[in-house]
């Protein structure tokens, strides 16, 4: 059985002081949940403080992006070895990076390879826009993003990768995909691709998160689906009570699934 992985992507929110306060509120509650992997991804500036506070709490810490070069004249960028000093994982290919900062499937692949090379776990984000969805192109878009984004990655390297399916039209809109629609993409598009690329055994172990307007109200329903293995949470990760409720929902679903299997 795959272990749920629930990560909060704080995006461009929280000063260092606010980030510290949020971790202070999260850590006592999250410390009581040991059957779900949970994580936060603050801004670069808040990372040192957050990483320090999360040490020994079980909360994993990630960055929201990284450059693929090891060092050099790339003003404003952050290199993989710098991220690896503080973080357990990094997010690459978020749709906001693609939309506002010109990132492509090819540069997602470069970032992924560079992150794996320094020993980071990686969340690779994919997902179609509203236009693509309405044109019936979801499968084609997601498959292309996976083909190019995961090019030249070995089965062994895949152990460090989580896929986050985030339909762009569901991000920050309050309009989440239905559990059935999301699971359909996870189960019938993403998982088969992973099987083809990395083999049956690896594909069964890899986690596919859903992201896009996950809230305490819809989390349990989403996580109860066969191929939704956690969530990448934006807005609802900024408030301690809602992020805790979402992690608890994953924990409850895990308990129910465990019982039904034994
Ligand atoms: P929301 O949860 O705010 O829709 O954001 C999802 C997301 O983009 C997480 O990376």
């Amino acid at each position: 059985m795959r272990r749920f992985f629930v990560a909060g992507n704080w995006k461009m929110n929280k000063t260092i002081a606010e980030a510290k306060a949020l971790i202070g509120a999260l850590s006592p509650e999250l410390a009581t949940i040991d059957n779900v992997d949970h994580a936060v991804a603050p801004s670069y500036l808040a990372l040192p403080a957050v990483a320090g506070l999360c040490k020994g709490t079980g909360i994993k810490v990630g960055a929201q992006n990284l450059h693929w070069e090891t060092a050099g004249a790339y003003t404003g960028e952050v290199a993989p070895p710098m991220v690896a000093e503080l973080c357990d994982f990094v997010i690459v290919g978020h749709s906001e990076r693609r939309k506002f900062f010109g990132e492509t499937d090819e540069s997602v692949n470069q970032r992924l390879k560079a992150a794996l090379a320094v020993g980071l776990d990686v969340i690779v984000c994919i997902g179609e826009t509203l236009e693509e969805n309405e044109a019936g192109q979801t499968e084609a878009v997601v498959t292309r993003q996976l083909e190019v984004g995961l090019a030249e990655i070995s089965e062994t390297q895949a152990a460090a990768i989580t896929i986050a399916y985030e339909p762009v039209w569901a991000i920050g809109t309050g309009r989440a995909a239905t559990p059935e629609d999301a699971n359909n993409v996870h189960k019938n598009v993403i998982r088969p691709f992973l099987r083809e690329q990395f083999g049956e055994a690896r594909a069964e172990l890899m986690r596919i998160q859903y992201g896009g307007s996950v809230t305490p109200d819809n989390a349990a329903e989403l996580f109860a689906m066969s191929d939704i293995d956690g969530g990448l949470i934006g807005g609802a990760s900024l408030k301690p009570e809602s992020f805790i409720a979402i992690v608890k929902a994953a924990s409850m679903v895990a308990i129910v699934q465990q019982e039904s299997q034994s």
Side-chain angles (χ1 to χ4, degrees):
M1 222 175 84
R2 294 179 292 269
R3 205 174 142 87
F4 284 113
F5 180 17
V6 180
N9 173 10
W10 293 357
K11 308 190 180 183
M12 197 176 73
N13 294 290
K14 306 289 175 191
T15 62
I16 297 171
E18 289 165 348
K20 285 179 173 172
L22 180 50
I23 294 298
L26 289 176
S27 55
E29 290 280 340
L30 294 185
T32 65
I33 302 170
D34 59 5
N35 64 341
V36 170
D37 289 332
H38 42 71
V40 294
S43 74
Y44 288 128
L45 282 179
L47 266 173
V50 168
L53 289 172
C54 287
K55 219 167 250 154
T57 64
I59 304 175
K60 294 199 164 72
V61 177
Q64 297 173 16
N65 193 22
L66 84 182
H67 196 268
W68 54 85
E69 293 290 345
T70 306
Y74 299 95
T75 300
E77 293 294 318
V78 175
M82 302 169 183
V83 175
E85 269 187 323
L86 287 174
C87 293
D88 303 297
F89 72 97
V90 63
I91 300 169
V92 300
H94 194 281
S95 67
E96 288 149 15
R97 300 293 322 166
R98 296 174 189 257
K99 181 174 165 196
F100 300 125
F101 305 102
E103 291 191 15
T104 61
D105 296 328
E106 286 77 12
S107 72
V108 170
N109 183 246
Q110 286 178 289
R111 290 171 212 275
L112 169 61
K113 287 178 186 160
L116 293 171
V118 295
L120 288 162
D121 286 346
V122 186
I123 297 178
V124 179
C125 301
I126 55 173
E128 81 287 0
T129 63
L130 181 60
E131 242 176 21
E132 292 163 340
N133 181 282
E134 286 175 346
Q137 294 169 347
T138 300
E139 178 166 352
V141 169
V142 165
T143 303
R144 187 207 68 224
Q145 290 172 331
L146 288 168
E147 260 166 15
V148 182
L150 301 185
E152 295 161 19
I153 299 297
S154 70
E155 183 268 337
T156 320
Q157 287 176 307
I161 299 175
T162 296
I163 306 295
Y165 171 58
E166 300 204 298
V168 178
W169 47 269
I171 296 177
T173 58
R175 184 186 154 205
T178 65
E180 292 73 21
D181 285 349
N183 197 52
N184 181 39
V185 177
H186 288 218
K187 185 171 191 242
N188 299 322
V189 182
I190 302 172
R191 188 88 59 204
F193 176 91
L194 298 176
R195 259 187 222 119
E196 182 85 3
Q197 181 102 345
F198 302 121
E200 181 81 31
R202 175 61 61 204
E204 286 314 305
L205 292 172
M206 289 178 73
R207 292 179 295 192
I208 307 174
Q209 296 172 323
Y210 167 78
S213 298
V214 178
T215 66
D217 292 335
N218 60 18
E221 265 189 307
L222 286 159
F223 298 155
M225 303 306 290
S226 66
D227 288 75
I228 300 184
D229 309 313
L232 189 53
I233 319 300
S237 74
L238 300 176
K239 293 200 193 94
E241 57 282 3
S242 50
F243 190 63
I244 290 162
I246 291 169
V247 176
K248 281 189 175 160
S251 172
M252 296 292 285
V253 173
I255 291 167
V256 171
Q257 289 179 347
Q258 196 105 44
E259 279 170 359
S260 74
Q261 286 206 340
S262 58

